[in-house]
């Protein structure tokens, strides 16, 4: 097939994924596998090879990620159950002051969002939005926007989040380097699109949101994570109760627990600059700094720092661990199916044809990667699906551009997946309902805010690309 025909097949496959997810409400994993089968059949991949190609793609992707995603889920659950997120929120608001509550919530999103998925993080922290907004005497949107944007930004940019880790593996990027550069990108974009956006742009948008006067009543129909108004009331009463607040874990130990996997993985990258990886010491550093080992160490540390040291029983920790695994099943299926879809793109010759086409565009490959992820997120409504698919599409650009950094390309994809969060994304509806605003106002705030974050992140990535 000609390059034009192969590219057209890819566009048709993406359109099929969009229709299956948006129109027929199909799970992303099913849509990706159906699209992969369609591509394989149309492009002439041998029938006897199709299943093996998909199986190889799924196994190659999940083989690296299953334990990382599972351990990350446990770490996030420990943070949720033990009140670590509440401790971070109260300490940050006290440190920044109520007048800078939007900045405090942006920083909270950047920190607390590291071990949890964006939707889970938002549901976990949104009761604190009501409390903080009430104390500061401002609209909950002024506080909720920075939180939601920070969570979304970290979700797309920083490992050990599943999609960010997956695309780093697909592109052959060093995870520690992605984290170091990603911290710069995520912080800049979240601050600009969060508190600065809330301070200088929101007042001019005339968003119809009342000043917070209580924890609120909204619930999300069918929301499996389920934070109700009763949960919000519990949080408010706990924060108001000095004895209950005293029972929360300490700020610094909570912060260390959250940041420990990043510290270990970044430490590996830095130390291996000075240590030969083939030496005995280099082997130890490489082993400890591997994402799987780093997350395992962090989970065990959380058992002690947030659990055993505060009187929690081993049976309770075991129950928390078990409860963390259920919600990640869908994410694992999507990522695995995305790996199968990417394997079919390679086997069919589409990836190579697309690389030739993209290579002829008179723009930076970084911008191309960002744009592909942005369009896919807008279309399918899942940042995870968008990032996994975009990585497979732009992977051949690395071979065509030897000077292109895989870490920069990974960050460009993540930056693109932040933007255009709208009605196809579950976060949009969760945010709208909890903030008690109209769809139009959700567009004005969350959609615009995430898109600003995406553009700022692209600018930061382009700036970093000059040095790397």
């Amino acid at each position: 097939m000609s390059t034009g025909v192969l590219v057209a097949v890819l566009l048709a496959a993406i359109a099929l994924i969009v229709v299956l997810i948006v129109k027929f409400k199909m799970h992303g994993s099913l849509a990706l596998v159906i699209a992969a089968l369609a591509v394989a059949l149309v492009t002439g991949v041998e029938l006897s090879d199709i299943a093996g190609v998909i199986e190889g793609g799924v196994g190659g992707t999940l083989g690296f990620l299953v334990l990382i995603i599972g351990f990350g889920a446990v770490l996030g659950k420990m943070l949720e159950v033990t009140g670590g997120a509440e401790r971070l929120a109260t300490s940050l608001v006290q440190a920044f002051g109520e007048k800078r509550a939007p900045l405090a919530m942006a920083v909270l999103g950047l920190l607390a969002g590291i071990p949890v998925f964006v939707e889970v993080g938002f549901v976990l922290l949104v009761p604190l939005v009501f409390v903080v907004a009430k104390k500061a005497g401002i609209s909950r949107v002024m506080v909720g926007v920075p939180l939601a944007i920070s969570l979304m930004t970290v979700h797309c940019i920083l490992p050990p989040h599943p999609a960010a880790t997956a695309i780093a593996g697909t592109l052959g990027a060093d995870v520690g380097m992605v984290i170091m550069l990603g911290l710069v990108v995520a912080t800049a974009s979240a601050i600009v699109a969060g508190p600065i956006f809330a301070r200088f742009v929101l007042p001019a948008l005339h968003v119809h949101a009342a000043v917070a006067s209580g924890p609120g009543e909204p619930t999300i129909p069918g929301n499996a994570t389920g934070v109700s108004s009763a949960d919000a009331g519990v949080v408010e009463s706990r924060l108001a109760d000095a004895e209950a607040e005293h029972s929360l874990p300490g700020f610094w130990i909570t912060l260390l627990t959250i940041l420990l996997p990043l510290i270990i993985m970044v430490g590996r990258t830095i130390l291996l600059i000075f240590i030969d990886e083939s030496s005995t010491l280099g082997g130890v550093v490489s082993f400890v700094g591997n994402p799987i080992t780093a997350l395992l160490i962090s989970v065990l540390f959380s058992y002690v720092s947030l659990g055993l040291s505060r009187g929690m029983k081993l049976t309770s920790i075991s129950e928390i661990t078990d409860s963390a695994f259920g919600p990640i099943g869908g994410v694992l299926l999507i990522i695995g199916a995305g790996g199968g879809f990417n394997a079919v793109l390679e086997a069919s010759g589409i990836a190579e044809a697309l690389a030739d086409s993209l290579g002829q565009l008179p723009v930076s490959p970084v911008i191309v990667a960002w744009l592909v992820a942005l369009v896919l997120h807008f279309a399918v409504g899942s940042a995870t699906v968008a990032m996994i698919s975009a990585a497979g599409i732009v992977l051949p650009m690395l071979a065509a551009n030897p000077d292109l950094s895989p870490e920069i390309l990974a960050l460009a994809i993540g930056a693109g997946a932040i933007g255009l969060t709208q009605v196809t994304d579950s976060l949009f509806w969760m945010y709208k309902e909890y903030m008690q605003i109209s769809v139009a106002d959700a567009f004005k705030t969350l959609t615009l805010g995430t898109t600003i974050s995406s553009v700022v992140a692209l600018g930061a990535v382009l700036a970093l690309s000059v040095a790397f």
Side-chain angles (χ1 to χ4, degrees):
M1 291 185 178
S2 66
T3 297
V5 173
L6 288 173
V7 172
V9 171
L10 173 61
L11 294 177
I14 293 174
L16 176 61
I17 294 171
V18 172
V19 170
L20 292 175
I21 292 177
V22 177
K23 179 67 175 177
F24 294 98
K25 311 302 180 185
M26 189 173 289
H27 191 269
S29 61
L30 295 176
L32 283 165
V33 172
I34 291 172
L37 292 172
V39 168
L41 292 172
V42 171
T43 56
V45 177
E46 291 290 336
L47 288 176
S48 58
D49 295 336
I50 293 176
V53 169
I54 295 177
E55 180 182 343
V58 172
T61 301
L62 288 181
F64 172 65
L65 286 173
V66 169
L67 292 177
I68 293 175
I69 296 173
F71 294 159
V74 174
L75 191 59
K77 196 68 176 178
M78 287 294 296
L79 176 70
E80 172 189 348
V81 172
T82 61
E86 294 174 37
R87 169 56 69 199
L88 289 177
T90 54
S91 298
L92 289 171
V93 171
Q94 289 172 1
F96 286 102
E98 293 180 357
K99 291 184 178 180
R100 297 185 180 87
L103 177 59
M105 296 307 286
V107 175
L108 175 64
L110 287 171
L111 295 175
I114 290 172
V116 298
F117 300 119
V118 57
E119 292 88 355
V120 175
F122 187 75
V123 171
L124 168 64
L125 297 172
V126 75
L128 302 172
V129 169
F130 307 143
V131 176
V132 171
K134 180 182 179 181
K135 288 184 176 181
I138 59 178
S139 163
R140 68 186 63 186
V141 172
M142 291 285 289
V143 182
V145 165
L147 175 65
I149 291 174
S150 290
L151 289 170
M152 186 65 175
T153 300
V154 171
H155 179 82
C156 296
I157 293 290
L158 283 184
H161 274 285
T165 308
I167 64 173
T170 298
L171 300 175
D174 181 270
V175 174
M177 184 63 70
V178 172
I179 292 173
M180 285 193 292
L181 300 179
L183 285 170
V184 176
V185 174
T187 302
S189 55
I191 295 300
V192 171
I196 294 178
F197 171 72
R199 172 68 177 82
F200 296 102
V201 179
L202 273 186
L205 297 179
H206 305 294
V207 176
H208 302 291
V211 174
S213 59
E217 296 299 329
T219 56
I220 307 301
N223 176 26
T225 49
V227 168
S228 65
S229 58
D231 296 318
V234 168
V235 171
E236 184 171 24
S237 64
R238 286 185 67 183
L239 296 180
D241 188 324
E243 183 178 351
E245 184 172 346
H246 180 71
S247 71
L248 297 175
F251 173 79
W252 291 111
I253 194 66
T254 301
L255 184 62
L256 175 60
T257 303
I258 292 173
L259 297 181
L260 185 59
L262 274 64
I263 294 172
I264 294 174
M265 287 185 279
V266 170
R268 170 188 178 275
T269 299
I270 295 174
L271 288 175
L272 288 181
I273 296 176
F274 307 100
I275 301 173
D276 184 1
E277 189 171 1
S278 62
S279 67
T280 301
L281 180 59
V284 172
V285 170
S286 182
F287 167 73
V288 174
N290 181 280
I292 294 176
T293 312
L295 264 297
L296 176 59
I297 293 172
S298 300
V299 167
L300 296 177
F301 182 79
S302 74
Y303 286 167
V304 177
S305 63
L306 300 179
L308 296 175
S309 66
R310 301 177 60 244
M312 186 176 290
K313 303 292 185 180
L314 286 174
T315 53
S316 298
I317 292 176
S318 177
E319 291 172 358
I320 292 172
T321 301
D322 290 342
S323 67
F325 295 136
I328 66 174
V331 175
L332 290 172
L333 284 172
I334 288 177
I335 291 177
F341 180 71
N342 293 342
V344 169
L345 293 184
E346 294 183 17
S348 64
I350 288 179
E352 183 179 354
L354 190 66
D356 293 338
S357 299
L358 295 176
Q360 296 173 10
L361 294 176
V363 294
S364 166
V366 174
I367 296 178
V368 173
W370 173 83
L371 186 60
V372 170
L374 179 71
V375 172
L376 284 173
H377 182 215
F378 175 80
V380 304
S382 168
T384 300
V385 173
M387 292 171 68
I388 298 295
S389 301
I393 291 172
V394 304
L395 175 61
M397 295 171 62
L398 285 173
N401 299 270
D403 296 330
L404 182 60
S405 165
E407 291 80 16
I408 292 296
L409 201 62
L411 291 174
I413 292 172
I418 298 169
L420 297 178
T421 303
Q422 39 81 43
V423 295
T424 58
D425 195 310
S426 60
L427 178 64
F428 179 90
W429 296 107
M430 293 172 63
Y431 167 84
K432 173 200 171 296
E433 293 299 322
Y434 277 112
M435 295 299 103
Q436 293 183 326
I437 57 178
S438 66
V439 170
D441 284 339
F443 274 115
K444 290 180 186 178
T445 55
L446 184 66
T447 305
L448 179 58
T450 55
T451 304
I452 291 173
S453 179
S454 178
V455 172
V456 173
L458 172 62
V461 173
L462 286 171
L464 289 172
S465 69
V466 175
F468 295 90

